[in-house]
């Protein structure tokens, strides 16, 4: 590993964390692992149903609208959403790094950018859901036909709204967590504590949200 | 008590190097995303079922590469101690079984149903009455079928 650890260091003799991380960060990792199984179960059930169907709606037919431009732009809007989330992940890393350097101003600036990115993503999703709703799509309703022209079941919309909804809820709670972090930074809580490790935990959660989107984006929009 | 005390080896932190790494990973992630989108656009006009599956497989590999960079660098997992990495990565290996088993099951269910339930197969091949969203290319065909029945 990149980190320098003395060769004779006895990690398991007690008195210190054998993983060299604080308790909260380790627990955040385990929580995210369990969350990964939840999302994995959702996506795999989606895949199972899709594999058991004779045909499936074409994502390029369903997701082809762009606000202000109308329809006929497959993949365009979702690319925008993907890049928004990637960039907000980048600003989050920068906030964590600023925290390591005890640079309060840097943390505040990058946290604000991350929150803006999160809100932008949520707005995009709200627009997309509204648009699809007005086209007649919702849980239990599917106006789109299959790729081969046959009548589609409601499986497609049910999975789409459930999984993107669950992801959107994660983004929403991530934004709330980041706002709480921002307030704590502005109140000098971490300055008094002597370290910004809490930002790191919030960062882990935020990156996880980005990570899940990588999978949702691929499974629903690309393939 | 603040359990920060338990951490004996604080990461040697060089901010300039850290920033450089972030920029490098951002560029990698963006390039992979652009490639994925390119493949996605290619899929729109692709006819051959075999090539379509190959492209979809390639997209999945790029997806895993992105996941690796996000978890390894942004979430910093690559720089943690090996034991800790293992406690997180090894349980996730369950997904290998999970994905293979369930997708194979779904596909087998489809084949069994098509073989033993002709009514289901016939129903699933019926063209929809409504034209496809956006383009109306399925419309004439659907009408013809309706007229015949």
């Amino acid at each position: 590993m990149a980190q320098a650890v003395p060769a004779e260091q006895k990690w398991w003799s007690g008195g210190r964390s054998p993983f060299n991380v604080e308790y909260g960060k380790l627990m955040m990792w385990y929580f995210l692992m369990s969350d990964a199984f939840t999302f994995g179960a959702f996506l795999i059930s989606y895949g199972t149903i899709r594999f058991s169907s004779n045909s499936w709606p074409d994502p390029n037919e369903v997701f082809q609208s762009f606000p202000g431009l109308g329809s006929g732009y497959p993949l365009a809007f979702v690319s925008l959403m993907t890049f928004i989330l990637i960039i907000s992940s980048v600003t989050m890393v920068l906030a964590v790094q600023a925290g390591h350097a005890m640079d309060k101003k840097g943390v505040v600036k990058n946290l604000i950018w991350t929150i803006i990115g999160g809100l932008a993503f949520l707005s995009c999703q709200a627009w997309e859901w509204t648009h699809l709703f007005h086209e007649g799509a919702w849980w239990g309703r599917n106006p789109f036909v299959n790729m081969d022209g046959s009548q589609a079941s409601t499986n497609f919309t049910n999975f789409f709204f459930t999984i993107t909804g669950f992801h959107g809820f994660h983004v929403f709670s991530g934004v709330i967590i980041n706002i709480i972090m921002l307030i704590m930074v502005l109140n000098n809580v971490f300055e008094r504590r002597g370290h910004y490790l809490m930002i790191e935990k919030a960062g882990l959660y935020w990156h996880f949200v980005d990570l899940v989107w990588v999978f949702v984006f691929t499974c629903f929009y690309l393939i | 008590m603040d359990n920060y005390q338990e951490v004996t080896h604080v990461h040697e932190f060089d901010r300039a190097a850290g920033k450089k790494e972030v920029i490098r990973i951002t560029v990698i992630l963006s390039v992979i995303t652009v490639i994925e989108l390119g493949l996605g656009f290619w899929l729109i006009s692709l006819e051959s079922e075999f090539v379509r599956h190959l492209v979809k497989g390639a997209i999945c590999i790029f997806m895993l590469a992105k996941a690796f960079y996000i978890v390894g660098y942004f979430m910093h997992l690559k720089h943690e101690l090996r034991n800790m990495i293992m406690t997180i990565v090894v349980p996730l290996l369950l997904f290998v079984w999970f994905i293979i088993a369930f997708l194979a099951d779904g596909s087998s269910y489809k084949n069994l149903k098509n073989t033993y339930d002709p009514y289901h197969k016939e129903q699933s091949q019926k063209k929809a009455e409504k034209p496809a969203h956006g383009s109306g290319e399925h419309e004439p065909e659907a009408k013809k079928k309706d007229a015949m029945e």
Side-chain angles (χ1 to χ4, degrees):
Chain A
M1 302 296 102
Q3 179 191 349
V5 174
E8 298 87 39
Q9 179 79 45
K10 286 195 173 60
W11 291 103
W12 297 93
S13 55
R16 63 173 73 84
S17 161
F19 290 156
N20 198 31
V21 290
E22 38 150 2
Y23 176 79
K25 189 171 157 188
L26 188 65
M27 291 305 123
M28 178 53 96
W29 265 111
Y30 291 153
F31 163 69
L32 293 180
M33 190 174 71
S34 70
D35 221 15
F37 276 107
T38 312
F39 272 108
F42 269 142
L43 285 172
I44 290 167
S45 60
Y46 158 76
T48 308
I49 294 298
R50 195 168 161 176
F51 267 62
S52 71
S53 308
N54 279 327
S55 190
W56 197 256
D58 182 0
N60 296 313
E61 288 279 331
V62 178
F63 311 110
Q64 56 159 336
S65 299
F66 201 94
L69 293 176
S71 60
Y73 303 92
L75 284 175
F77 193 55
V78 74
S79 322
L80 175 70
M81 289 168 76
T82 303
F83 276 107
I84 288 174
L85 219 47
I86 289 179
I87 298 306
S88 81
S89 225
V90 173
T91 54
M92 190 76 219
V93 188
L94 294 176
V96 172
Q97 292 190 348
H100 273 296
M102 297 297 288
D103 169 13
K104 182 184 159 188
K105 257 176 115 178
V107 176
V108 169
K109 186 185 81 182
N110 285 302
L111 265 183
I112 289 175
W113 279 117
T114 310
I115 291 165
I116 291 173
L119 290 176
F121 181 86
L122 284 174
S123 321
C124 288
Q125 203 170 32
W127 181 86
E128 190 179 43
W129 274 43
T130 316
H131 176 75
L132 287 171
F133 180 77
H134 287 307
E135 286 195 320
W138 201 238
W139 276 279
R141 279 193 280 135
N142 182 9
F144 307 108
V145 296
N146 283 332
M147 253 180 250
D148 65 359
S150 59
Q151 184 67 56
S153 71
T154 57
N155 286 334
F156 172 74
T157 40
N158 288 346
F159 274 114
F160 174 79
F161 286 113
T162 304
I163 294 178
T164 59
F166 198 58
H167 174 263
F169 178 66
H170 274 73
V171 179
F172 174 74
S173 41
V175 170
I176 298 292
I177 290 171
N178 286 341
I179 289 174
I180 293 171
M181 289 302 121
L182 181 63
I183 294 170
M184 287 172 88
V185 173
L186 289 174
N187 284 334
N188 286 324
V189 175
F190 305 123
E191 207 70 32
R192 264 179 271 126
R193 206 177 277 178
H195 58 79
Y196 280 84
L197 289 180
M198 196 59 99
I199 302 289
E200 216 174 301
K201 287 169 236 172
L204 282 179
Y205 185 80
W206 189 253
H207 296 313
F208 179 75
V209 166
D210 183 28
L211 177 70
V212 170
W213 180 252
V214 167
F215 288 89
V216 172
F217 165 63
T218 308
C219 293
F220 277 100
Y221 297 87
L222 280 179
I223 61 179
Chain B
M1 198 200 81
D2 193 340
N3 47 38
Y4 183 53
Q5 308 305 326
E6 291 171 9
V7 180
T8 34
H9 291 278
V10 179
H11 296 279
E12 287 287 324
F13 187 71
D14 176 356
R15 203 172 169 194
K19 206 159 193 173
K20 240 181 166 174
E21 190 185 82
V22 171
I23 292 171
R24 190 170 69 90
I25 302 305
T26 311
V27 170
I28 292 175
L29 286 176
S30 310
V31 168
I32 295 179
T33 308
V34 168
I35 295 174
E36 276 187 325
L37 288 168
L39 289 175
F41 275 114
W42 189 28
L43 268 181
I44 297 176
S45 55
L46 210 52
E47 291 295 334
S48 153
E49 202 55 35
F50 177 70
V51 183
R52 282 184 74 88
H53 279 113
L54 278 187
V55 172
K56 286 179 179 182
I59 289 176
C60 286
I61 290 168
F62 282 121
M63 169 183 83
L64 292 177
K66 270 168 90 176
F68 168 79
Y69 282 111
I70 292 173
V71 175
Y73 294 93
F74 281 4
M75 297 171 89
H76 220 257
L77 189 61
K78 209 165 179 286
H79 301 300
E80 303 293 355
L81 288 187
R82 197 185 151 77
N83 281 332
M84 185 190 152
I85 298 176
M86 287 306 152
T87 63
I88 291 155
V89 172
V90 172
L92 292 178
L93 286 180
L94 268 174
F95 272 123
V96 177
W97 161 79
F98 206 17
I99 291 168
I100 294 173
F102 276 76
L103 295 190
D105 223 26
S107 154
S108 143
Y109 181 63
K110 173 179 78 178
N111 294 333
L112 288 174
K113 239 184 158 186
N114 284 340
T115 310
Y116 295 108
D117 187 355
Y119 177 74
H120 163 77
K121 196 176 179 193
E122 194 187 306
Q123 286 299 309
S124 74
Q125 280 168 346
K126 243 190 192 164
K127 301 294 176 208
E129 283 139 41
K130 262 192 268 176
H133 167 70
S135 76
E137 60 174 300
H138 298 300
E139 203 177 13
E141 212 183 329
K143 270 190 184 149
K144 230 187 279 165
K145 257 232 157 130
D146 280 351
M148 276 187 338
E149 274 162 11

